[in-house]
Structures are given as C-alpha cells and as structure tokens.
Amino acid sequence: MHTGGYDIGVVPGDGIGPELVASAQEVLDAAAGDGVEVRFHIEDAGADTYRRTGTACSDETFDRLRSYDGILKGPVGLPGVRRPDGTEGGLLGGLLRGGLDTYVNERPISLLPGVDGPLRGERRIDHVIVRENTEGLYLARGLGVGNERAVVDQLLMTREGVERVVRYAFELARRRPGAPADGVHRVTCVDKANVLRSFAFFRRIFDEIAEEYPDVQTDHRYADAAGHDLVVDPEHFDVLVMENFLGDILSDVAAATVGGLGMCPGGNIGDAHAYFEPIHGSAPAIAGRDLANPISQILAAAMLADHLGERPVGDRIRAAVRTGFARGDIVILPSGSPKDGTDAVTRAVIGALES
C-alpha cells in the first residue's frame, strides 16, 4: 500500500457508463474501508466529449491520466457520434491502449454461483483470455487504404509485441489455481497458423517462450476450434493468449457462457500504466433507467485494486459479488438487466461486504 493512498483517474464514459462507474466507486470505497485511501479524479473523455469539443480526450486530460496510480473507465461510444469518414467518433481504445502502451488486455471469464448461463448442466468455468492489445489487425485502425472497388487493412505482429504478451500469459498461469477440469497450470495459444504467416510467427514465438516455463503446460487451438471448445469444453482452459482481433471476438464467445458481457471485466495493462473497464458497450438506450448490470464494472474495480497491490481489497469485492449471487440478492434477467435494478445490485454487494 502507498502510505499516502492512491490517486485514481475516473472516466465515467457515455450511456450507462456514469451510473456503472458510480456503482464501482461506491463498492471500491466500501471494500477499501479505513485502511486504504482511494482518491477519485473525474476526467472528461469519450464520445460526448468528442461531440462537444471535437476531440475524444484532450492532451491535458491524457497527461493527467498518465499521472494516476490507475484508471477506472466506463464504456464509451454513442451511435450518433461519427467522425468525418463515417466511423464511430469518441472511442478511446486506440488512444489509451497505444498511448499508455497497455499491451495486455486481460479478460477473466468466471461462472458465478446462481448465474444462469446457456450451457446445460453444472459447469466450472474459470479462465482468462489474454489478448494482445497494441498490434495485430487492430493496429490498422483508421489506416486502411482503398477505393470503391477494394479496401485493405494490414495485420502486423512484432517479435517484441508477441514475446511480452505471451510471457505475461505464462506468468499469469503460474499465479492461478489451474484449469477447473484438472488443476493444471496451462496456457493455450490461439491462432490461425495453418492459414496466415503472421499467426505462424505468433505460434513460433509462443513455443520459444514456453520453453522458459517447464512448470506450465501448453497447448494450441486454431481460432475456430477455440470458439467451439470454449462452449463445449470450457473447463479445460486456464489462460488463453491470442492476437488482438481474435481476442476481441473470442472473449465475447466466452462471456456468453457465463451470463453475458455484463459479467466480465477487462484490464488494459502495461509496464507503466493500466486502466480497467467492462468489456461491453455504452448501451445508451437504457441509460439513466436503473436497468444496467454493474457487475462487470464492479469486478473491473477489483482488478484495479489488484493492480495497486491491494489484492485483499480486490478479493473482498469478488467474494461479495459471489455472495450476492449465491444468496439470490442479485439476479440477472435473460435480457441482461438486474431484476431489481442497478442500484439494488450495488446495495447487495456492499451489504455482502459489510456482513
């Protein structure tokens, strides 16, 4: 713990973002208690900021974000806010991930007690998707070239980029309890090495790094097979590592097995900076109606606590969420909305913290 406490940058975001972030702040404060001081600093960034100012995040805001001990970010984006080329305006992913060099996108996927998922029978789902965050196909964001007859986007992987995200995945596997099916510490490489040279490059570097971790089992899946197995055999997986675009897709597939995107947090983590957020969008249609599920944002706050070196605070939040679901105090409807509303979920988690 910092003896002087922690300064946290807060980006409320758009749509349901502000109400989710407010919920997560309240839970984080309650879990920290008197022993850990957390100071929140609200920053203006996102689609509404772009609409009002012409930029999604000012240089001054970005400089402040770089100075904080960590960042808690809500979902951003509004369907009516577009850039001159017609693409969505006000998104922060490319700006923050590249600007802060948060090269890991860590997405825990865990089935909580009392949550109805679409899979039949009792399933033990607890794995992490580690998505490379700064290169791959999404490095071409805004840089594609073409005309009315053809367009091309380039996929780029570098040795340094692949090495560091693969090494992160192996280090994470060492810290985890292992795959639910057999308790084995395992990292699965997901790629399309049978089709594209860039993915064969990714796999080759993965196998090189694996030799440094003889205590961690490795296996490989082509991306299409991984999508299949995340549904039919999720207990096999512990940590999965993959390119940016594949991680974006497969983490949504995995989220569906544990109750939906509203159950899954994400951490964007680099050597010097990190920010934490839900993996879903801003859902402006339900903003301000007490219909949003705040669990992903609350669990993102738990990941933030871990990052700060306050793992007991993160563990308290995760335990309180589990307790709330196990007791039946938190019920998520098939629509993805909490049965008794956003605020009721917040109250249930804080109640579990205090019990």
Side-chain angles (χ1 to χ4, degrees):
M1 171 185 167
H2 289 209
T3 55
Y6 302 96
D7 289 294
I8 306 302
V10 177
V11 179
D14 302 302
I16 59 175
E19 55 202 287
L20 299 190
V21 168
S23 171
Q25 287 180 257
E26 195 172 350
V27 169
L28 182 55
D29 260 337
D34 296 329
V36 180
E37 183 182 5
V38 179
R39 297 179 292 271
F40 297 111
H41 304 270
I42 304 298
E43 298 290 355
D44 185 13
D48 187 61
T49 308
Y50 180 88
R51 180 185 60 78
R52 288 184 283 104
T53 69
T55 182
C57 180
S58 71
D59 292 343
E60 295 78 11
T61 297
F62 186 77
D63 286 343
R64 287 193 298 272
L65 290 174
R66 290 174 59 88
S67 73
Y68 295 126
D69 296 307
I71 301 166
L72 184 66
K73 173 185 165 294
V76 300
L78 293 170
V81 177
R82 298 283 165 175
R83 298 191 297 181
D85 64 0
T87 59
E88 195 168 356
L91 300 183
L92 296 173
L95 174 68
L96 295 182
R97 290 169 183 170
L100 300 176
D101 197 26
T102 54
Y103 58 89
V104 169
N105 187 208
E106 180 180 333
R107 295 187 167 187
I109 307 292
S110 182
L111 182 61
L112 298 174
V115 174
D116 290 329
L119 304 184
R120 296 175 181 171
E122 294 294 325
R123 310 304 292 262
R124 295 171 298 154
I125 303 175
D126 182 15
H127 56 261
V128 180
I129 289 179
V130 174
R131 165 189 171 191
E132 201 290 318
N133 216 17
T134 58
E135 46 186 54
L137 186 58
Y138 285 173
L139 186 61
R141 182 197 305 262
L143 300 175
V145 296
N147 53 33
E148 292 304 312
R149 298 180 65 85
V151 175
V152 61
D153 293 302
Q154 291 185 322
L155 189 160
L156 174 70
M157 296 185 191
T158 67
R159 172 166 286 275
E160 179 186 10
V162 177
E163 283 182 348
R164 64 184 186 174
V165 75
V166 168
R167 190 166 279 112
Y168 183 96
F170 276 96
E171 293 290 341
L172 178 61
R174 277 183 168 172
R175 300 193 300 269
R176 285 177 45 80
D182 52 17
V184 171
H185 299 275
R186 178 182 295 118
V187 180
T188 301
C189 177
V190 179
D191 56 51
K192 286 298 290 184
N194 57 328
V195 177
L196 295 176
R197 185 176 177 182
S198 55
F199 284 109
F201 177 74
F202 188 102
R203 179 178 288 211
R204 185 167 68 252
I205 296 172
F206 173 89
D207 289 341
E208 292 173 10
I209 300 296
E211 294 180 3
E212 302 175 18
Y213 296 86
D215 53 319
V216 179
Q217 187 181 102
T218 63
D219 69 349
H220 303 80
R221 292 288 191 284
Y222 294 135
D224 43 345
H228 175 275
D229 292 347
L230 282 167
V231 174
V232 302
D233 189 23
E235 293 95 337
H236 168 80
F237 296 109
D238 181 16
V239 177
L240 305 92
V241 63
M242 62 198 74
E243 177 269 342
N244 203 335
F245 176 66
L246 295 183
D248 192 9
I249 295 171
L250 291 180
S251 57
D252 278 25
V253 173
T257 69
V258 297
L261 297 174
M263 305 300 298
C264 302
N268 301 272
I269 301 165
D271 295 332
H273 306 285
Y275 68 96
F276 302 87
E277 62 183 345
I279 70 171
H280 58 70
S282 62
I286 62 170
R289 298 171 57 191
D290 198 39
L291 294 175
N293 177 5
I295 292 298
S296 56
Q297 191 82 59
I298 290 171
L299 293 176
M303 294 183 74
L304 169 60
D306 297 343
H307 169 72
L308 296 174
E310 301 291 348
R311 181 72 189 223
V313 174
D315 287 343
R316 284 197 289 273
I317 293 173
R318 284 181 287 267
V321 169
R322 293 182 68 87
T323 297
F325 277 103
R327 287 177 178 173
D329 297 336
I330 303 172
V331 176
I332 305 299
L333 300 173
S335 65
S337 292
K339 178 176 179 291
D340 297 317
T342 308
D343 187 63
V345 173
T346 310
R347 304 277 75 76
V349 174
I350 291 175
L353 282 168
E354 296 172 345
S355 64

